[in-house]
Amino acid sequence: MKTLSENRVFDGVQGVYVHPSVTCGCEMTFALYLPPEAAHSKVPLLWYLSGLTCTHENAMTKAGMQKYAAELGMAVCFPDTSPRGADVADDKAFDLGQGAGFYVDASQAPWDPHFRMWSYVTGELPRLIGDHFPVEMDRQSITGHSMGGHGALTVAMRQAERFASVSAFAPIANPVASDWGRKQFTAYLGNDEADWAAHDSSLLMRDHGFDGPVLIDQGTSDQFLDLLRPETLAEAMAARRQDGVFRFQKGYDHSYFFMATFMEAHMAFHADALDL
């Protein structure tokens, strides 16, 4: 693992690191913020999964999470959204290929050699962070935006024992019924729709739910509402009687301005679940 940068911010350290990934078969970059407390003791960890076209850098620089993480005493990890490199398959469309890993393990060519983001964010990267940084791996929560909201919800519901809480901003909530899902799942996973269900948060909520609190924020002026299908997840939460809150925020769109507005509430939500 190599350190690309480390900057002091709110008395903690914002680092960016690169490492050879066995899972993805290429170098992977991630960012990790460590609050001041990490200088002398281990701290809980919040994962932030980013959306389409993003890298580790977008939320690190735009979401304003470091200030709240420093105040609350939690680390925040920002993984990349896909494998990258000249030898990694790509597509001209913004919503497929590099920058659009969808947090699944591809089984179809040409994606399957590298596009294994599910195993990367649930296995290899957590092990790497636990081995090299002062974080409490038995105290984790997860959040994300758009494609990353989809990832956060599906990872949390399938690995419920790992997370104290889950939240999402404008998640792709029902990808098996959306062009933001059907296109990518066909490319990455094949034509058998039975293989897609494990990566749909509305279906997982209906069938399994989450053993912990859930917080969802969705802007009513989001330009991608028809692709996100938030009503499907809201209905599944209600039918499941899930411990959680689904909030429609009037006038907000899909941008980082929306996330920055409600980030403090999400950070406090996770801090409460982590007993901070």
Side-chain angles (χ1 to χ4, degrees):
M1 184 171 63
K2 300 177 182 177
T3 300
L4 297 183
S5 64
E6 287 185 334
N7 298 97
R8 187 171 177 84
V9 55
F10 297 107
D11 293 326
V13 177
Q14 177 62 67
V16 179
Y17 309 94
V18 62
H19 71 103
S21 169
V22 174
T23 300
C24 296
C26 62
E27 285 197 333
M28 294 293 291
T29 303
F30 69 94
L32 180 70
Y33 177 72
L34 293 173
E37 287 87 343
H40 51 77
S41 62
K42 290 187 175 184
V43 295
L45 177 61
L46 176 64
W47 293 85
Y48 180 95
L49 302 187
S50 292
L52 286 166
T53 76
C54 292
T55 69
H56 66 280
E57 188 176 19
N58 297 73
M60 180 186 79
T61 58
K62 294 180 181 180
M65 298 178 75
Q66 292 88 347
K67 179 178 185 293
Y68 307 122
E71 293 172 351
L72 296 166
M74 69 169 68
V76 183
C77 183
F78 307 89
D80 202 348
T81 56
S82 78
R84 298 180 191 272
D87 296 330
V88 176
D90 201 6
D91 191 272
K92 292 181 179 179
F94 77 94
D95 57 356
L96 187 68
Q98 296 186 36
F102 262 79
Y103 304 101
V104 302
D105 283 351
S107 59
Q108 306 298 304
W111 313 104
D112 51 328
H114 302 287
F115 279 73
R116 301 186 58 78
M117 289 303 295
W118 175 270
S119 292
Y120 180 69
V121 299
T122 63
E124 184 177 17
L125 186 57
R127 287 192 296 271
L128 182 73
I129 290 174
D131 288 343
H132 292 278
F133 297 96
V135 296
E136 297 182 75
M137 298 307 290
D138 58 347
R139 297 177 71 194
Q140 300 182 62
S141 291
I142 190 168
T143 187
H145 169 239
S146 192
M147 179 185 73
H150 139 79
L153 289 164
T154 56
V155 169
M157 282 187 276
R158 290 177 58 188
Q159 293 196 335
E161 71 287 349
R162 179 179 158 197
F163 300 102
S165 51
V166 59
S167 73
F169 299 87
I172 300 174
N174 188 208
V176 302
S178 168
D179 286 344
W180 271 1
R182 296 189 64 83
K183 171 185 176 180
Q184 294 80 7
F185 288 177
T186 300
Y188 296 146
L189 303 176
N191 293 316
D192 188 350
E193 297 188 16
D195 295 333
W196 302 359
H199 297 285
D200 186 296
S201 60
S202 294
L203 299 182
L204 289 171
M205 180 61 68
R206 183 195 68 191
D207 295 339
H208 304 287
F210 177 68
D211 188 19
V214 177
L215 174 61
I216 311 292
D217 272 316
Q218 171 64 63
T220 62
S221 295
D222 192 314
Q223 59 271 43
F224 303 114
L225 272 176
D226 290 342
L227 292 166
L228 302 174
R229 296 180 54 82
E231 66 282 354
T232 311
L233 178 58
E235 291 166 0
M237 288 178 65
R240 186 77 189 179
R241 299 179 180 176
Q242 172 66 44
D243 173 15
V245 177
F246 196 115
R247 307 187 300 194
F248 283 95
Q249 302 290 1
K250 186 176 181 179
Y252 285 91
D253 59 18
H254 201 70
S255 70
Y256 274 87
F257 296 113
F258 162 55
M259 281 183 286
T261 301
F262 299 101
M263 186 58 71
E264 183 176 13
H266 280 245
M267 299 286 282
F269 164 78
H270 291 298
D272 184 63
L274 291 165
D275 295 322
L276 290 173

